């Protein structure tokens, strides 16, 4: 399973949901979904905008986790 790391990387670089939305030209609703649900669907065009804004590679925005790890995090 893939997990989005948008929130962690954004906060490390001083972005909150609003500032990341404005800087990346991605809707606030989408950014909010990525921050609150790191297991949500993400489209590559959107991830590219976010990656460019955060000065990271698209691959840095996702991580593969095991199903058991996901179950532990959702409790």
């Amino acid at each position: 399973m893939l997990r989005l790391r948008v929130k962690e990387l954004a906060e490390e670089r001083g972005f909150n949901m609003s500032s990341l939305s404005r800087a990346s030209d991605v809707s606030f609703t989408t950014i909010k979904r990525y921050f609150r649900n790191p297991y949500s669907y993400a489209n590559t065009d959107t991830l590219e905008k976010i990656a460019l804004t955060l000065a990271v590679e698209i691959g840095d925005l996702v991580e593969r986790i095991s199903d058991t790890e996901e179950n532990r995090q959702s409790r």
Side-chain angles (χ1 to χ4, degrees), residues 25-69:
D25 196 30
V26 172
S27 77
F28 180 80
T29 303
T30 299
I31 297 294
K32 182 171 140 181
R33 184 175 71 239
Y34 293 169
F35 268 56
R36 294 189 175 172
N37 181 9
Y39 301 101
S40 66
Y41 167 80
N43 115 9
T44 54
D45 291 335
T46 303
L47 290 180
E48 182 177 23
K49 289 179 178 182
I50 294 169
L52 287 170
T53 301
L54 298 177
V56 299
E57 297 294 323
I58 292 176
D60 295 332
L61 295 176
V62 295
E63 69 178 339
R64 182 176 298 277
I65 63 165
S66 67
D67 289 338
T68 55
E69 193 174 338

Side-chain angles (χ1 to χ4, degrees), residues 1-5 8 38-39 62-75:
M1 169 158 281
L2 295 178
R3 178 184 173 283
L4 295 173
R5 299 186 63 237
E8 295 91 337
Y39 301 101
V62 295
E63 69 178 339
R64 182 176 298 277
I65 63 165
S66 67
D67 289 338
T68 55
E69 193 174 338
E70 177 197 0
N71 290 335
R72 262 187 277 132
Q73 291 179 359
S74 64
R75 290 183 189 169

